[in-house]
Amino acid sequence: MLRTANRILLGLAGVLLLALGAAVLAGALDLPRRWDVTLPAAWPFAGPDDVPLSAARRRGWGRHGWWWPTVIAVLGVVVALSLGWLLAQARRHRLREVGVDSGDGETVVVRGHALQDALAAEAAALEGVDDAVITLTGRRTAPRARIGLTLAPHARPAGALRRLDAEVLRHARTSAGLLRLPAEVRLRAVRHPARRVG
């Protein structure tokens, strides 16, 4: 959800900034006069000496009692929305705890961080895996795993993925009593320096 909202907001901001930049550039280069294009009367950037809000227009708007409070309120809302968006990006979406069915009808709560560490240690111990970073997201009754594996130069990605699913994820599903544990896996290979021959 957050990723989709980010893409929409960034797309809208990009289109808005591109249109504004094109309008300013066209006015600064005096393109409407050179290309004999008639712009609307309210167009703010018709020539290189134009400004978005002239001194006379500012004085005219300033005579209205609602003008400056409205400008300040709009700017305050923009700042508040920007800060909220920034905090949403910085907030960690890690799962704090996972509910484990103990088998007697009770639910035991396991710390998400402890389960992540156990899964990462088991994944890092797989043959051909140099390092593993695991983040649990989702709901406590339906967790999801984001897995980053750093593979050794000699490792086969398909084999590492098979072992990850058959061993690490299966153990996690069994121990947590989960029917399924969806996982998104990102693979990265360790770069090793070239060896000189001869």
Side-chain angles (χ1 to χ4, degrees), residues 3 35 41 50 63 68 70 92 96 103 124 130 140 146 182:
R3 188 177 296 179
W35 292 348
D50 287 339
R63 288 192 191 107
W68 287 114
T70 302
R92 295 176 184 251
R96 291 179 184 239
D130 271 6
R140 65 182 265 198
R146 282 199 318 245

Side-chain angles (χ1 to χ4, degrees), residues 24 27 42-58:
V24 170
W43 192 263
F45 305 111
D49 297 326
D50 287 339
V51 293
L53 205 57
S54 65
R57 193 175 283 180
R58 278 197 314 271

Side-chain angles (χ1 to χ4, degrees), residues 75-99:
L75 291 176
V77 168
V78 168
V79 168
L81 288 174
S82 300
L83 284 175
W85 186 43
L86 183 63
L87 290 174
Q89 308 309 309
R91 192 178 70 210
R92 295 176 184 251
H93 293 283
R94 294 187 177 190
L95 196 60
R96 291 179 184 239
E97 52 190 32
V98 178

Side-chain angles (χ1 to χ4, degrees), residues 16-36:
L16 183 67
L17 290 174
L18 186 65
L20 183 64
V24 170
L25 187 62
L29 296 176
D30 205 15
L31 295 181
R33 186 185 58 78
R34 291 182 186 182
W35 292 348
D36 198 25

Side-chain angles (χ1 to χ4, degrees), residues 124-190:
L126 292 174
E127 183 186 349
V129 176
D130 271 6
D131 189 28
V133 177
I134 297 181
T135 304
L136 292 176
T137 60
R139 299 188 318 271
R140 65 182 265 198
T141 55
R144 303 173 64 84
R146 282 199 318 245
I147 303 172
L149 291 184
T150 304
L151 300 179
H154 65 277
R156 294 186 177 179
L161 283 175
R162 267 195 308 275
R163 286 191 301 276
L164 179 73
D165 184 43
E167 297 175 29
V168 178
L169 293 177
R170 185 170 59 80
H171 291 164
R173 285 190 298 267
T174 304
S175 63
L178 299 169
L179 294 176
R180 53 193 304 267
L181 178 60
E184 174 188 326
V185 182
R186 294 179 186 256
L187 300 177
R188 190 169 68 89
V190 173

